[in-house]
């Protein structure tokens, strides 16, 4: 099974920036089982929310409406690592952030995800 390990999140103030990373197990990005990767987030009082996704070669990206213009997803296939650059953070961005990977060209729904990271906590204070 593919293993995805997120970096530690943190506690930041509104308006700050934070970069998350997700390291995949060896050969993950070069296998037929991994194409698109994505970030989702979840809070106890809400459903799982799509954040961003990126295709295998990094040429196409899509973002959830709530993060457009503030977050940037990227990947470094040589390092088997996915990134999420979060700028202008808001208190409503507070959530557990999950790295995801799958066979599909894009991953905008959780049902399309084949592999999940364990999640990392991001807390944004006002």
């Amino acid at each position: 099974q593919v293993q995805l390990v997120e970096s530690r999140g943190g506690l930041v103030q509104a308006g700050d920036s934070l970069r998350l990373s997700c390291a995949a197990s060896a050969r993950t990005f070069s296998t037929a089982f991994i194409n698109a990767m994505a970030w989702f987030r979840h809070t106890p009082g809400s459903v799982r929310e799509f954040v961003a996704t990126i295709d295998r070669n990094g040429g196409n990206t899509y973002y959830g409406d709530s993060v457009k213009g503030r977050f940037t997803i990227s990947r470094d296939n040589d390092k088997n690592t996915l990134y999420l650059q979060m700028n202008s953070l808001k208190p409503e961005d507070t959530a557990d952030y999950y790295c995801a990977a799958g066979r599909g060209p894009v991953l905008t729904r959780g049902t399309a995800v084949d592999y999940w990271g364990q999640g990392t906590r991001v807390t944004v204070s006002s």
Side-chain angles (χ1 to χ4, degrees):
Q1 292 290 308
V2 173
Q3 183 176 351
L4 304 174
V5 181
E6 296 104 336
S7 62
R8 295 182 183 272
L11 173 62
V12 299
Q13 293 184 315
D16 284 353
S17 296
L18 186 66
R19 191 191 198 195
L20 302 180
S21 64
C22 170
S25 58
R27 300 183 181 182
T28 297
F29 284 21
S30 64
T31 69
F33 302 104
I34 299 297
N35 287 303
M37 297 188 75
W39 291 95
F40 292 82
R41 66 187 184 185
H42 179 258
T43 59
S46 66
V47 299
R48 181 174 55 208
E49 179 185 15
F50 165 72
V51 175
T53 188
I54 187 168
D55 68 358
R56 183 171 62 86
N57 298 123
N60 295 298
T61 59
Y62 302 91
Y63 297 91
D65 290 340
S66 63
V67 305
K68 287 181 179 177
R70 299 188 298 118
F71 290 10
T72 302
I73 188 172
S74 62
R75 65 193 294 170
D76 185 338
N77 290 345
D78 291 334
K79 297 180 178 179
N80 288 338
T81 302
L82 177 74
Y83 301 96
L84 183 67
Q85 178 66 46
M86 303 182 290
N87 297 327
S88 301
L89 283 162
K90 304 175 180 179
E92 51 262 46
D93 294 319
T94 296
D96 291 333
Y97 284 73
Y98 294 87
C99 176
R103 298 170 296 165
V106 294
L107 296 174
T108 58
R109 300 182 67 85
T111 52
V113 173
D114 295 313
Y115 306 100
W116 290 98
Q118 66 183 34
T120 187
R121 177 69 56 82
V122 173
T123 302
V124 184
S125 66
S126 59

